[in-house]
Amino acid sequence: MKVLLRAAQIINPDSAYHLQTQNILIENGKILYIGTDEPEADTLIAADGLCVSAGWVDLHAFVGEPGLEHKEDLETAAAAAAAGGFTEILCLPNVQPVVQTKGAVSFLRNRTAHLPVTLHPAAALTVDTEGKDLTEMIDLHTAGAVAFTDGIKPLQGADVMLKALQYVQMFDGLLMNKPEHTRLTDHGQMHEGQVSTLLGMKGIPAMAEEIMVTRDLQLLAYTGGKLHFSLISTAASVEAIRKAKAEGLQVTCDVASYQAAFTDETIAPFDTNYKVAPPFRSEKDAAALVQGLEDGTIDALVSAHIPHDTESKKLEFDLADFGITNLETAFSVAYTSLSDTLSLEKIIYKLTDGPRQVLSLPKPAIAEGEEANLTIFSPVLGWTPDQDTVKSKSFNSPFFGVNLKGKVLGIIHKGQVVLN
């Protein structure tokens, strides 16, 4: 099948066609032609403001299979990812059973080989993600795990972190951690501040994140290795990581694409769809995140996709689970909230080259003769997400019914074309 992208602006700094508007012909998953001519095709894709980039990569997605398929399974996760423009996603290990064996890694890779989205396995850092004993990381790496993390469970033990940083150096592996001191966040519901006090809810202090960022950076300076912080949210965290990078430490970090969309003062009170971890923080923190994205301190934007069934969210605020479904809205939410301060090129970089560098993944090329790994989108089109069209199994999103800027039109990957 031949697919023609008509008059698409190519956003890819490594391409000879960067920022040029060209016609692109793809046949059977391969880029056949790039130029100003308009060859015949079976499918024509044309839209106002049509853009194309290398396929987007998500570093933080929860997929419930095996064990929690009622929240999300492999097929619905891939469908949601494709709808959101992602051609590759990193799957957290917090399923049942935990991804901590070669068999579990192979299961994920083999079960998803036919899907249009590549699902990369992240293996558990510690056995059962309990933060005590290290998993067999060399075996897991050999089996295909691309990173090691306890996922939604922050690693608490400094001794375990130290050993893990030493261990992964044997195979140049990547350790990922969500920085959170759980003793300080226990029973917390939202950002600790004036609003939490007025609402009578226990706060989650910024200090709980910042203490762990500082600790882990000190351990990294002592041991060496590669460390990635997942879902940073505070100004002090950004500054600490900025300083560590300047000192030459191999540290990277990401932020949820929605983190700057709200502050603790702008969320709807007691609406559990706004209950995320880390929480929406202050205006100062949001501004620092934007600056961190601008100057390169923050390497990637992620969906932080945590789908939940109705029974986990339709509860009193203090009983509801943390997290929102965001694979399908990640780009649009980021573009809506960040486009006034960040260029489109920079936002796309945080979805393409940034996450690939974190995971040491190869960069797809936009050139004739290359396999197509492409995301097709338009920054000038708007849309309104709703429950009737969502691909995910779950509906825990604060963005349903909200007009968003920037629309994903589809992906081309692994020889498959998926159009919205």
Side-chain angles (χ1 to χ4, degrees):
M1 183 179 75
K2 292 183 178 180
V3 178
L4 180 67
L5 306 181
R6 178 196 285 166
Q9 184 182 43
I10 297 170
I11 301 179
N12 185 279
D14 295 328
S15 173
Y17 303 98
H18 181 50
L19 298 183
Q20 295 181 24
T21 299
Q22 302 283 350
N23 295 324
I24 305 173
L25 181 68
I26 295 105
E27 183 177 15
N28 298 326
K30 183 168 289 189
I31 300 173
L32 199 63
Y33 170 80
I34 301 176
T36 55
D37 294 339
E38 190 171 320
E40 292 185 0
D42 303 300
T43 301
L44 174 67
I45 300 174
D48 291 340
L50 185 66
C51 293
V52 64
S53 72
W56 300 345
V57 179
D58 185 26
L59 294 178
H60 198 95
F62 174 82
V63 180
E65 189 173 349
L68 298 169
E69 291 91 343
H70 61 287
K71 295 177 182 286
E72 198 81 278
D73 60 41
L74 297 172
E75 282 75 16
T76 58
F86 293 103
T87 61
E88 303 173 62
I89 63 175
L90 182 67
C91 299
L92 301 180
N94 310 94
V95 289
Q96 297 175 355
V98 170
V99 179
Q100 58 188 7
T101 64
K102 292 189 292 183
V105 171
S106 297
F107 167 81
L108 179 60
R109 296 183 57 165
N110 295 335
R111 272 276 285 110
T112 61
H114 66 287
L115 298 175
V117 175
T118 299
L119 277 67
H120 295 289
L125 177 62
T126 66
V127 175
D128 295 329
T129 63
E130 291 181 350
K132 297 177 182 178
D133 301 316
L134 297 180
T135 56
E136 297 292 341
M137 288 189 279
I138 292 179
D139 285 349
L140 292 165
H141 169 72
T142 303
V146 299
F148 296 89
T149 175
D150 281 350
I152 60 176
K153 291 187 177 181
L155 184 61
Q156 298 301 293
D159 57 333
V160 179
M161 174 65 76
L162 185 148
K163 292 174 184 176
L165 285 168
Q166 293 173 327
Y167 198 82
V168 294
Q169 292 179 58
M170 289 188 280
F171 53 92
D172 195 31
L174 174 68
L175 191 158
M176 307 176 76
N177 190 31
K178 180 184 174 186
E180 177 189 333
H181 195 305
T182 56
R183 290 290 184 90
L184 296 176
T185 62
D186 195 26
H187 301 300
Q189 302 299 317
M190 63 177 296
H191 175 63
E192 182 181 80
Q194 185 177 12
V195 177
S196 66
T197 302
L198 290 173
L199 294 177
M201 290 198 285
K202 188 177 188 301
I204 299 173
M207 177 177 60
E209 177 180 309
E210 295 155 5
I211 286 174
M212 298 305 270
V213 167
T214 301
R215 182 204 73 174
D216 288 355
L217 289 174
Q218 289 177 333
L219 292 172
L220 181 66
Y222 178 76
T223 63
K226 293 192 297 187
L227 176 63
H228 179 84
F229 289 112
S230 299
L231 308 184
I232 63 167
S233 66
T234 78
S237 293
V238 175
E239 182 56 34
I241 295 168
R242 181 183 290 119
K243 181 180 178 183
K245 286 190 170 189
E247 292 171 353
L249 295 184
Q250 293 189 81
V251 58
T252 53
C253 64
D254 64 55
V255 64
S257 74
Y258 55 70
Q259 194 67 47
F262 304 104
T263 67
D264 62 328
E265 296 182 349
T266 60
I267 62 174
F270 304 111
D271 186 337
T272 61
N273 285 325
Y274 293 86
K275 186 177 180 180
V276 292
F280 294 109
R281 296 202 182 271
S282 69
E283 190 68 42
K284 175 185 174 182
D285 292 314
L289 294 175
V290 175
Q291 181 58 43
L293 288 163
E294 173 64 41
D295 65 22
T297 301
I298 300 174
D299 300 88
L301 287 162
V302 301
S303 73
H305 178 71
I306 309 291
H308 285 302
D309 53 286
T310 302
E311 289 75 11
S312 299
K313 275 292 189 179
K314 292 288 186 180
L315 300 167
E316 293 85 351
F317 197 91
D318 61 324
L319 299 178
D321 287 345
F322 289 93
I324 65 174
T325 176
N326 191 42
L327 271 173
E328 296 166 71
T329 51
F331 163 70
S332 300
V333 168
Y335 190 68
T336 301
S337 59
L338 299 173
S339 59
D340 289 342
T341 49
L342 289 182
S343 68
L344 176 63
E345 287 178 69
K346 190 148 288 187
I347 291 173
I348 297 305
Y349 178 88
K350 305 297 181 182
L351 296 167
T352 54
D353 288 2
R356 284 192 170 89
Q357 289 176 6
V358 171
L359 293 179
S360 299
L361 297 176
K363 293 182 184 180
I366 301 181
E368 293 179 358
E370 296 288 341
E371 292 294 325
N373 183 348
L374 305 173
T375 297
I376 308 157
F377 62 100
S378 171
V380 304
L381 296 179
W383 68 297
T384 303
D386 62 67
Q387 292 190 24
D388 294 334
T389 58
V390 68
K391 304 295 184 184
S392 172
K393 280 188 175 182
S394 299
F395 306 125
N396 52 307
S397 171
F399 301 108
F400 289 155
V402 177
N403 293 324
L404 299 176
K405 293 196 304 181
K407 185 176 183 180
V408 173
L409 302 177
I411 64 166
I412 302 176
H413 183 45
K414 294 165 70 172
Q416 301 182 56
V417 181
V418 182
L419 300 177
N420 290 338

